[in-house]
Amino acid sequence: GSATRMRKQGLLLAAIMGVVVLAAFAAGALPPGYEDELFCPPGGCLRRKEVKSGMVGPRTLFHECVSMSDSTQGMGAPLPWGSKIDQAIRDKYLTDGYTTTVCKKDERKDL
């Protein structure tokens, strides 16, 4: 039924994201088209994360999702999407309420 289909889609999405993240760490950074947008869960916003100087890697390494109502409440790493990733994945993020909202304190153009 639809629950089984949704579970399979979720597993497929998790597998794709796992491959993307592993590839990012192996290469140090993702090529253009894999992290054009960073998505946070519903109720979350995106902010820059403190990292050691000189670190390289995917954009997700330098950002985190936090609760919009309580910025001390972390929500984990953002989910990346880019033009080289299936549009259906981006559509699923949006359908599930994920957002690209930048936290108010962090509204800088370099995100």
Side-chain angles (χ1 to χ4, degrees):
S2 68
T4 301
R5 188 174 340 106
M6 287 179 62
R7 201 170 17 252
K8 285 181 181 178
Q9 287 175 342
L11 290 172
L12 176 61
L13 178 61
I16 290 169
M17 295 318 301
V19 169
V20 168
V21 170
L22 287 175
F25 284 110
L30 291 176
Y34 290 94
E35 288 189 306
D36 302 343
E37 295 179 295
L38 299 179
F39 287 86
C40 289
C45 60
L46 186 69
R47 76 172 176 198
R48 281 183 103 22
K49 192 164 75 169
E50 295 294 324
V51 294
K52 290 182 180 181
S53 179
M55 283 188 72
V56 295
R59 286 182 62 211
T60 53
L61 180 66
F62 300 96
H63 297 86
E64 62 187 345
C65 296
V66 295
S67 171
M68 280 193 256
S69 60
D70 178 3
S71 64
T72 64
Q73 183 182 348
M75 300 177 84
L79 297 177
W81 180 85
S83 58
K84 292 187 178 180
I85 297 174
D86 191 335
Q87 178 67 35
I89 292 173
R90 183 179 188 277
D91 294 344
K92 175 89 170 104
Y93 291 164
L94 294 171
T95 298
D96 290 348
Y98 280 70
T99 177
T100 58
T101 301
V102 174
C103 298
K104 293 291 181 202
K105 280 179 145 184
D106 218 6
E107 289 181 335
R108 298 188 302 245
K109 61 183 172 192
D110 62 345
L111 283 179

